[in-house]
Amino acid sequence: MTIKTANLGFPRIGKHRELKFALESYWADKSDAGALLDIGKRLRAQNWALQKEKGIDIIPSNDFSFYDHVLDTTVMIGAIPSAYGWKDGPVALDTYFAMARGSTGEEAHVDCGHQHHHGHGVPALEMTKWFDTNYHYMVPELGPDQSFALTANRPLDAFIEAKTLGIHTRPVILGPVTFLKLAKGTEEGFAPITLLERLLPVYARVLAELSAAGADWVQIDEPCLVLDLSGEEQAALKHVYRALHELVPNLKIMLATYFGNIGDNLPTALSLPVSGLHVDLVRAPQQIDVLLEAPADLTLSLGIIDGRNIWKADLAAILKKIEPLVQRIGADRLQIAPSCSLLHVPIDLDLETGLDEELTSWLAFATQKLDELSALGSPGGASQAIAAASEAVTSRAASPRVHDLKVRQRVAAIDETMMTRSSGFAERTGLQERKLRLPLFPTTTIGSFPQTSDVRKSRSAFTKGTISEADYDAFLKKETEAAIRWQEEIGLDVLVHGEFERNDMVQYFGEQLSGFAFTQHAWVQSYGSRYVRPPIIFGDVSRPKPMTVEWWCYAQSLTEKPVKGMLTGPVTILNWSFVRDDLSRADVSRQIALAIRDEVLDLEKAGAAMIQIDEAALREGLPLRKADWKTYLDWAVESFRLCASGVADETQIHTHMCYSEFNQIIDAIAAMDADVISIETSRSKMELLEAFRSYKYPNEIGPGIYDIHSPRVPDVEEMTELLTLARQRLTDGQLWINPDCGLKTRKWEEVRPALVNMVAAAKALRSIG
Ligand code: GLN
Ligand code: ZN
């Protein structure tokens, strides 16, 4: 038996981040468009060659992008907002980048997962999370008058480019329904999906030209099939695929779904006149049963290698799992593939020479996943690979590094009392007031101060070993002291130490916890030219020793004013990591929560009266299907409470979240029961506080009154105005005054005047009462 192997997409960034460096050089005017285009061409050729060499039967094309594949689609169909000045014909590279980054050429400031407009010129398109991944796409903006025209047939160009290199590919196209569903209407109440009829001829032409050029299959991605779809959207799918089938009958469509279960959309999916269906059997293995009943002429692509995580697959188990399908349907109607595009995993484990051998033996990055597929596709010839995979799986399952009995026992012993503060907020708040003696409308910041080039240089010198630990420490102390002095001087009420010692809000903790590993080269695209190296959580998590107490003590020793302890919460740590797949996410989260709880208690013991536990990414982890939200929110909230509830009533627990769209999850936010929550509200004109008002949210809130994503310094009046709006929705006793988020990405020249103004706004408000 041999089954065809297929790939759905390969990382674009290059093994050595070639794409990033080429883009940055082009944007900085250090190289020309020709050089950039050449790099793109070289990367595509390399990727195709690699996949061929690995023996992949079906190789994708048009999976490459200079910035983002959704933006590529927007440009391909000529849906370019008029502000970018395009009329017709081919779209210039600089127009494309203006849509991605704004026409001022200033790179988007994204540290909380979305893009922010600022500066002069034309702002970039909005950016948001691609499904539940940490990849971000540029959101198409469509209005009722939108027309579409094919500006350049990108999939065709890619197909021909590969063909010239002797590789017959299956071009990848973002499906029209998913594209429209991801778009936002330019007008209130306008649903882009109503534009489908107008979009259809453009797609038909793309396909017809591909077919004429010799393409036999295309992969059309409709991941919207794993979302909750309206009747209208389901009807749109039926309509568009019937039409495409009629217009281009000779081209076979592999309809790709991924990131979840097709579920109630299955009848729709199976009714479409397509030749193939790809399903994600990693995220939703239960789908294998319904596939047994698939129509007899449908080719099934089984997504069985995890495209979202970095663990070596258990090849023998996979073969066993798909065996009934092979028996029933026959190998010739099956393909095996990664669950989704390999975009979401790092490129090549072989680059990672710093990891220990044992851990390395458990991992597979994109390149290794191609090997896994290949081995599965030819099981007769690959028994060695299969045996090796089994060995890796057994070794991981048995390793003492993965299993810590003490941690397991602690998690098993968690009970309700550990997740509940001794008294309710109504009682706590009085005790805290008496202890802290803060003025009305207390002022504070979210934690970090500018990570200046000095800070970064010093850190990198320390990591490289060119300065000693003592020198580095002295430098950090100097920075921290200056920050404390300055905060006192301008009259902030609650101080922070500034987080100068932290490289990143997750990595800093991960590096001090057991069960985490960090890589040197395992970059994954977050958006455009920004790549991240997520930590790998491979084993039971524990905290060998206090992580932040010394820094907090040092900062507090410098001042009489309260300094907040500053921690990252378990859900955020989890959501920004590659998480082990042999334990539920809820349990991994509980383990991290216990470690953070210990830190909270140590901070309290050291004298901290206020401790902030950031949950920047709590909302990011929401499942794709509404029906799964409650389960997630339940354990996410439990994890937070587990961190926060060990302290005395007098100790004030803060949390921070980098957004404010809480209307759908306000119950969960309230259930977290943080004494104070700071959120991002400045750009929404406080409208998003409505959720808190109508819920009658009782605890204290610091709605951000200054947009930290922009270099602009807001004046006192502007902040006062926002505070007035906030006071329409919150009581005075509830209201804290702070920026939207941490200030690490800003310059001191921007931060200083802005915070001076913020304190002035608070004082003005107090005086008029
Ligand atoms: N305490 C962190 C900081 O100020 C919070 C950052 C975040 O929420 N993204 O940097
Ligand atoms: Zn934030």
Side-chain angles (χ1 to χ4, degrees):
M1 169 196 79
T2 54
I3 304 181
K4 280 214 168 96
T5 54
N7 189 20
L8 268 50
F10 198 79
R12 313 140 174 172
I13 62 181
K15 260 169 104 160
H16 305 286
R17 290 182 290 159
E18 291 90 330
L19 185 56
K20 176 190 183 70
F21 301 125
L23 285 167
E24 287 173 352
S25 158
Y26 175 68
W27 292 333
D29 259 336
K30 291 192 184 126
S31 55
D32 59 12
L36 179 61
L37 296 177
D38 276 351
I39 292 279
K41 201 164 174 181
R42 213 170 69 208
L43 289 170
R44 292 190 291 272
Q46 274 170 13
N47 289 349
W48 287 323
L50 176 75
Q51 294 172 81
K52 188 169 174 185
E53 177 202 315
K54 296 292 183 189
I56 301 303
D57 299 310
I58 299 160
I59 296 174
S61 57
N62 197 41
D63 53 337
F64 179 82
S65 174
F66 278 113
Y67 203 94
D68 163 41
H69 56 274
V70 181
L71 181 61
D72 292 345
T73 311
T74 306
V75 164
M76 176 179 87
I77 62 176
I80 299 159
S82 57
Y84 298 100
W86 172 83
K87 297 241 149 28
D88 48 27
V91 180
L93 200 55
D94 290 338
T95 307
Y96 174 81
F97 287 132
M99 295 170 77
R101 316 167 62 232
S103 66
T104 48
E106 197 175 340
E107 179 75 84
H109 290 272
V110 179
D111 40 10
C112 313
H114 34 161
Q115 164 125 2
H116 307 288
H117 299 166
H118 60 82
H120 308 284
V122 188
L125 292 176
E126 231 176 72
M127 176 151 71
T128 195
K129 264 168 84 76
W130 171 248
F131 294 81
D132 60 355
T133 71
N134 289 328
Y135 175 87
H136 301 81
Y137 71 93
M138 309 306 302
V139 182
E141 287 175 14
L142 306 172
D145 300 329
Q146 185 66 53
S147 58
F148 300 105
L150 186 62
T151 62
N153 193 337
R154 278 186 50 105
L156 177 69
D157 296 345
F159 176 77
I160 292 173
E161 188 176 301
K163 198 166 149 189
T164 317
L165 296 170
I167 297 181
H168 181 86
T169 56
R170 184 173 72 183
V172 183
I173 304 172
L174 177 57
V177 178
T178 298
F179 175 82
L180 292 172
K181 192 168 166 63
L182 296 181
K184 78 171 204 192
T186 51
E187 287 171 21
E188 194 56 40
F190 174 70
I193 191 76
T194 54
L195 296 167
L196 187 64
E197 202 59 34
R198 266 183 249 169
L199 181 55
L200 192 101
V202 180
Y203 269 83
R205 190 162 148 215
V206 169
L207 299 187
E209 290 179 3
L210 273 171
S211 177
D216 47 357
W217 281 86
V218 285
Q219 170 191 325
I220 301 190
D221 287 358
E222 290 285 13
C224 73
L225 275 160
V226 309
L227 303 178
D228 297 321
L229 292 181
S230 66
E232 189 187 7
E233 289 162 338
Q234 289 180 340
L237 279 161
K238 286 186 194 161
H239 172 69
V240 79
Y241 285 94
R242 274 181 204 146
L244 290 175
H245 179 62
E246 255 167 51
L247 294 165
V248 198
N250 293 328
L251 188 62
K252 296 198 183 83
I253 293 174
M254 172 57 71
L255 191 76
T257 70
Y258 40 79
F259 302 150
N261 192 349
I262 304 178
D264 58 339
N265 296 321
L266 189 75
T268 306
L270 291 180
S271 75
L272 304 177
V274 291
S275 306
L277 181 67
H278 172 85
V279 292
D280 184 338
L281 293 177
V282 176
R283 275 291 174 85
Q286 67 275 32
Q287 301 191 98
I288 203 156
D289 299 328
V290 294
L291 293 183
L292 289 165
E293 311 305 325
D297 54 352
L298 195 64
T299 295
L300 296 174
S301 166
L302 312 176
I304 34 125
I305 295 291
D306 196 345
R308 293 286 298 276
N309 216 332
I310 40 74
W311 304 106
K312 208 173 246 182
D314 185 346
L315 302 181
I318 289 174
L319 285 173
K320 204 164 143 207
K321 201 155 66 185
I322 65 172
E323 181 56 26
L325 267 179
V326 180
Q327 292 302 331
R328 177 84 170 257
I329 289 181
D332 52 333
R333 258 183 60 213
L334 294 177
Q335 298 172 5
I336 46 173
S339 57
C340 58
S341 164
L342 295 173
L343 179 65
H344 310 288
V345 291
I347 296 185
D348 191 356
L349 184 61
D350 289 348
L351 296 173
E352 221 49 68
T353 48
L355 290 178
D356 67 87
E357 218 174 295
E358 187 185 32
L359 181 57
T360 308
S361 78
W362 302 337
L363 303 177
F365 294 174
T367 305
Q368 289 67 40
K369 286 172 191 283
L370 297 177
D371 287 328
E372 294 183 333
L373 271 181
S374 208
L376 286 169
S378 52
S383 48
Q384 231 181 330
I386 291 165
S390 302
E391 208 176 299
V393 171
T394 319
S395 126
R396 191 176 145 214
S399 169
R401 285 169 74 194
V402 171
H403 306 282
D404 182 335
L405 188 63
K406 272 210 232 96
V407 174
R408 298 297 173 111
Q409 286 168 342
R410 269 191 91 185
V411 169
I414 294 171
D415 62 27
E416 197 54 43
T417 61
M418 289 173 75
M419 298 189 285
T420 317
R421 299 285 295 266
S422 316
S423 311
F425 176 75
E427 239 169 281
R428 296 195 312 261
T429 184
L431 296 169
Q432 291 167 14
E433 216 171 288
R434 229 163 301 149
K435 174 166 181 190
L436 295 163
R437 301 251 160 247
L438 294 171
L440 189 64
F441 310 122
T443 53
T444 190
T445 60
I446 306 305
S448 57
F449 279 127
Q451 291 265 329
T452 57
S453 65
D454 270 1
V455 173
R456 272 176 282 141
K457 260 186 239 152
S458 178
R459 178 180 311 130
S460 111
F462 171 61
T463 1
K464 285 198 200 103
T466 52
I467 62 168
S468 69
E469 181 159 4
D471 287 346
Y472 181 52
D473 226 56
F475 169 82
L476 292 174
K477 281 200 164 134
K478 193 175 81 219
E479 293 291 312
T480 308
E481 177 168 11
I484 292 284
R485 293 280 167 261
W486 180 75
Q487 291 173 83
E488 281 189 318
E489 197 180 298
I490 68 160
L492 281 158
D493 301 308
V494 173
L495 313 193
V496 296
H497 76 287
E499 303 183 24
F500 301 107
E501 77 287 9
R502 302 189 186 176
N503 39 14
D504 169 273
M505 65 184 286
V506 170
Q507 190 177 348
Y508 182 73
F509 291 93
E511 283 174 346
Q512 301 186 71
L513 292 167
S514 307
F516 280 74
F518 290 83
T519 59
Q520 295 295 312
H521 306 281
W523 299 100
V524 180
Q525 191 176 18
S526 168
Y527 69 90
S529 63
R530 166 115 160 195
Y531 314 154
V532 294
R533 280 175 305 185
I536 297 171
I537 306 179
F538 64 85
D540 289 337
V541 176
S542 62
R543 186 196 69 145
K545 59 179 200 308
M547 304 181 281
T548 65
V549 177
E550 268 179 47
W551 278 113
W552 177 84
C553 284
Y554 174 67
Q556 186 65 82
S557 75
L558 302 168
T559 179
E560 296 293 308
K561 294 234 173 127
V563 178
K564 284 190 277 189
M566 194 58 63
L567 305 172
T568 302
V571 184
T572 299
I573 293 178
L574 189 82
N575 282 340
W576 287 345
S577 300
F578 284 121
V579 182
R580 57 194 292 189
D581 59 356
D582 58 346
L583 191 67
S584 75
R585 289 174 77 82
D587 274 336
V588 179
S589 181
R590 287 184 188 108
Q591 293 184 356
I592 306 171
L594 286 171
I596 302 291
R597 177 186 174 95
D598 293 345
E599 187 71 14
V600 167
L601 291 174
D602 281 342
L603 281 167
E604 184 186 50
K605 213 184 304 158
M610 308 164 127
I611 299 160
Q612 178 173 314
I613 308 164
D614 291 326
E615 279 295 16
L618 187 126
R619 199 175 182 288
E620 277 190 23
L622 277 176
L624 294 171
R625 296 272 196 170
K626 256 284 177 48
D628 302 326
W629 279 23
K630 189 179 173 321
T631 311
Y632 167 76
L633 287 170
D634 281 352
W635 63 251
V637 170
E638 270 183 19
S639 293
F640 180 84
R641 296 174 65 121
L642 193 54
C643 300
S645 300
V647 296
D649 284 343
E650 290 79 7
T651 303
Q652 191 169 62
I653 296 290
H654 291 229
T655 189
H656 165 71
M657 297 188 181
C658 296
Y659 43 82
S660 54
E661 299 115 60
F662 290 122
N663 33 340
Q664 287 173 302
I665 58 165
I666 188 76
D667 298 4
I669 300 300
M672 286 169 72
D673 197 24
D675 297 305
V676 185
I677 180 173
S678 59
I679 56 180
E680 177 178 329
T681 36
S682 73
R683 281 167 308 139
S684 81
K685 300 261 172 275
M686 302 286 151
E687 269 161 38
L688 292 157
L689 285 180
E690 196 49 32
F692 291 88
R693 191 201 60 80
S694 56
Y695 186 85
K696 298 198 172 62
Y697 181 83
N699 303 14
E700 295 173 26
I701 310 177
I705 60 158
Y706 129 54
D707 177 9
I708 61 93
H709 304 92
S710 158
R712 215 173 61 86
V713 175
D715 57 25
V716 180
E717 200 184 4
E718 197 176 323
M719 295 202 235
T720 309
E721 237 164 71
L722 286 176
L723 283 169
T724 310
L725 293 173
R727 287 174 80 194
Q728 291 167 4
R729 295 180 170 100
L730 305 174
T731 65
D732 286 355
Q734 267 183 306
L735 190 56
W736 281 64
I737 298 184
N738 48 255
D740 266 345
C741 192
L743 298 160
K744 56 178 166 257
T745 57
R746 296 264 63 91
K747 301 192 171 85
W748 274 111
E749 298 85 86
E750 298 150 4
V751 165
R752 282 199 197 98
L755 288 184
V756 166
N757 291 349
M758 190 184 87
V759 172
K763 287 192 174 146
L765 202 59
R766 278 172 210 152
S767 69
I768 55 169

